[in-house]
Amino acid sequence: MKILIDDALIDKLAKLSRIALTEDEKKLFKEQLNAVIDAFNIIDELDNQIKDIEPAFHPIEIADRFRDDIPEEYSWNPLEQNLNNENDYIKANRTVR
Amino acid sequence: MILLTIESFLERNQNLKREELDDIIARAKERSLLIDKEYDAFITLNDNLAVESKGILYGVAISVKDNICTKGLRTTAGSRILESYIPPFDATVIEKVKRAGGFIIGKTAMDEFGFGSFSINCAYKIPKNPNDKERVTGGSSGGAAAVTKAADFPHIAIAQSTGGSITAPAAFTGTVGITPTYGRVSRYGLIDYSNSMDKIGTIGKDVFDAALLLQIIQGYDPRDSTSIKLNEESYIDSMNKEIKGFKIAIPKEYYDYNYVDKRVADKIMDSLSKLEELGASFDIISMPMYKYAISAYYIVAISEASTNLARYSGLRYGLQKQLDSSLTFDEYASIIREQGFGEEAKRRIILGTFARMSGYRDAFYLKALKIRKLLIDDYKRVFSRYDAIITPSMPVIAPKIKDALSMEPLKVYGMDIMTVGPNFTGMPTISIPVARVEGMPIGMQIVGDHFNEAKIIRIARNLEKVLNYE
């Protein structure tokens, strides 16, 4: 699929990826990503061959597996490596302003 | 000091006296420190060396790639974002190694989160190739291979591969690397890169070492929903059986001088005559799908990476800052991730986000998964007639570090052309050193059908005996 990554798309991708890219990084990535995506397009040559093919989400067949619904004790304290917490709760920033 | 092979060490390790074991541990510690000084092969050395049980690996030092969790021992996955992360638990493979009597000497250098083919995308030091310190070790399990090459004490490395990260460093350093079938070894405690492809494997000085450690770490694990229930095989018992009558496929595309250094391709071809002397036969075949593997592989790898790395948001562990109430959660996470991730990690996250974005998902991500099915079918067709496929491990010898650092990303991704096929389709591979070019080792990659590790290890062991590589 022919696609050109422009400034607006880089900004959108940075936002979706939650990475505050610098202006230099945006410039560098725009150029490199266009080259990489251009190379990816070789797979379009197989469009006819894959029409009726099921996607392989894993290389081997994996069946869904469920463990018994029995609660297990954590052997460690999940707050041990956490910087922002209060009364056994993790504190985070608000999600909307 | 004469270097013992582990094979001969195992003949006496069960009878070691306490003082002898203490000497071995002290020596391993001292030598690891020197290896790190010389080659920057470790991210963290273990100060607290302890043997917990008297099993097969009694007295054998084990190094661990830094993306595998070790209880109480810092695990960074080669990233600044996990610089202070100390896992509160052991990965399943670490539990197994400790139960078998191995002791963990340290965590080895790697490309950040495994993102690289040379071990130069490093947030910490770039490991150097013990064959030539100006050259790369190969990636992403570069530190694992460097320690294995340089170690003059009984040592085997736990490594990990997504698209070739065991074969590449094994080939570039002249060591033996085994990448098992997807699902053979538990991934519990592995820091995910691409969870439909990540495989924990081994790097050793010779086939015996790498096969021995695989035998110990393999097996079904209820804590990894993609691990497979199998009869656990003894590679050590079967590896010395002859390979008379084996049929080997040589896919001509992998020897095309447009993709591979002529000197490398020719050396691999030359060593095939040894296979004939051992009673195996080979045919030149065609695997025309291989040229699509690299694009399809990278699309899936970056797509999965971009979702796996979403968890590093400065919330629960890893790089965090004091909360600033003027920021939203997204803004806070964006600052943490900008500071914590290196350039290649950012590039892959951005690319992966693109490939999964609404409007492009069908054109890239889903299409790549369908191509994976075509590739699996392609391999299965070959394996219905042949016991193994043999290709060069890497298309070149290890480049100089300074040259690798200035390569464009697309050219670096191209270095995986020999390894992405089997890795993308979950086939087991073993890379063994067979010759040298410009004094640098080159590797032969032997690929087997799913769960046919025993067969490729056997071929490698037979070849190793007649090659006289060193």
Side-chain angles (χ1 to χ4, degrees), chain A residues 18 32 44 81-82 97, chain B residues 86 315 330-331 347 367:
Chain A
R18 293 198 184 97
Q32 291 173 336
D44 292 348
Q81 305 201 30
N82 173 258
R97 206 182 298 279
Chain B
I86 301 188
L315 192 59
D330 281 352
E331 287 163 347
R347 190 158 35 235
K367 203 184 271 188

Side-chain angles (χ1 to χ4, degrees), chain B residues 4 20 41 53 86 93 115 137 176 211 230 238 288 295 328 344 376 385 391 432 436 446 455:
Chain B
L4 275 175
E20 288 175 305
S53 131
I86 301 188
V93 293
F115 298 156
T137 55
V176 173
L230 291 163
S238 64
S295 293
T328 63
E344 183 63 24
I376 293 169
R385 294 166 53 210
T391 72
I432 58 166
R436 286 183 183 267
I446 309 171
K455 207 180 249 183

Side-chain angles (χ1 to χ4, degrees), chain A residues 60, chain B residues 181-184 228 230 233 426 428 448-454:
Chain A
I60 52 172
Chain B
T181 309
Y182 178 81
R184 164 79 74 179
I228 302 295
L230 291 163
E233 294 183 62
D449 196 0
H450 289 150
F451 305 110
N452 274 279
E453 282 85 346

Side-chain angles (χ1 to χ4, degrees), chain A residues 5-12 26-27 30:
Chain A
I5 296 199
D6 56 16
D7 293 337
L9 187 50
I10 278 281
D11 283 339
K12 187 174 180 187
K26 285 182 191 172
K27 198 163 157 257
K30 191 173 75 172

Side-chain angles (χ1 to χ4, degrees), chain B residues 362-405:
Chain B
D362 288 4
F364 291 100
Y365 177 62
L366 268 183
K367 203 184 271 188
L369 292 176
K370 291 179 176 187
I371 292 172
R372 166 144 71 187
K373 182 70 175 67
L374 284 187
L375 283 162
I376 293 169
D377 292 347
D378 221 24
Y379 275 100
K380 291 287 180 188
R381 258 192 301 276
V382 176
F383 288 127
S384 69
R385 294 166 53 210
Y386 295 94
D387 295 290
I389 296 169
I390 289 182
T391 72
S393 294
M394 291 298 283
V396 294
I397 60 167
K400 295 242 165 85
I401 293 173
K402 66 172 170 44
D403 296 336
L405 283 168

Side-chain angles (χ1 to χ4, degrees), chain A residues 1-5 9-10 12-22 25 28-29 31-47 49-65 67 72 74-85 90-97, chain B residues 84-89 182-183 196 220-221 224-228 289 291-292 295-296 298-299 302 315-317 320-334 337-338 341 343 346-347 349-351 353-354 357 359-360 363-367 369-374 376 408-410 413 424-426 450-451:
Chain A
M1 186 181 190
K2 277 282 165 209
I3 173 87
L4 188 73
I5 296 199
L9 187 50
I10 278 281
K12 187 174 180 187
L13 290 170
K15 190 164 179 249
L16 288 172
S17 306
R18 293 198 184 97
I19 302 176
L21 293 179
T22 64
E25 283 173 330
L28 178 73
F29 287 172
E31 200 176 301
Q32 291 173 336
L33 266 48
N34 276 313
V36 171
I37 290 165
D38 207 38
F40 284 170
N41 282 319
I42 188 177
I43 65 172
D44 292 348
E45 292 175 14
L46 296 173
D47 279 356
Q49 282 188 64
I50 59 170
K51 249 187 282 172
D52 303 317
I53 300 279
E54 283 294 310
F57 286 95
H58 289 96
I60 52 172
E61 284 200 22
I62 307 263
D64 285 338
R65 218 158 60 202
R67 66 174 170 79
E72 285 172 29
Y74 258 89
S75 62
W76 67 82
N77 173 9
L79 294 177
E80 196 177 85
Q81 305 201 30
N82 173 258
L83 183 65
N84 301 297
N85 57 67
I90 289 173
K91 279 168 70 174
N93 293 82
R94 66 186 72 199
T95 51
V96 288
R97 206 182 298 279
Chain B
S84 59
Y85 177 58
I86 301 188
F89 69 104
Y182 178 81
S196 80
Y220 170 75
D221 180 4
D224 171 6
S225 63
T226 58
S227 89
I228 302 295
M289 291 289 297
K291 66 176 169 180
Y292 304 105
S295 293
Y298 266 99
I299 290 167
I302 56 175
L315 192 59
R316 287 202 299 122
Y317 58 92
Q320 299 162 71
K321 286 180 186 301
Q322 293 293 343
L323 292 185
D324 171 348
S325 59
S326 70
L327 298 175
T328 63
F329 175 73
D330 281 352
E331 287 163 347
Y332 169 79
S334 299
R337 290 159 67 78
E338 168 62 19
F341 289 138
E343 183 181 311
K346 289 176 190 166
R347 190 158 35 235
I349 293 170
I350 297 275
L351 261 171
T353 303
F354 167 79
M357 210 166 124
Y360 305 118
F364 291 100
Y365 177 62
L366 268 183
K367 203 184 271 188
L369 292 176
K370 291 179 176 187
I371 292 172
R372 166 144 71 187
K373 182 70 175 67
L374 284 187
I376 293 169
E408 277 299 306
L410 196 56
Y413 299 169
F424 190 33
T425 56
H450 289 150
F451 305 110

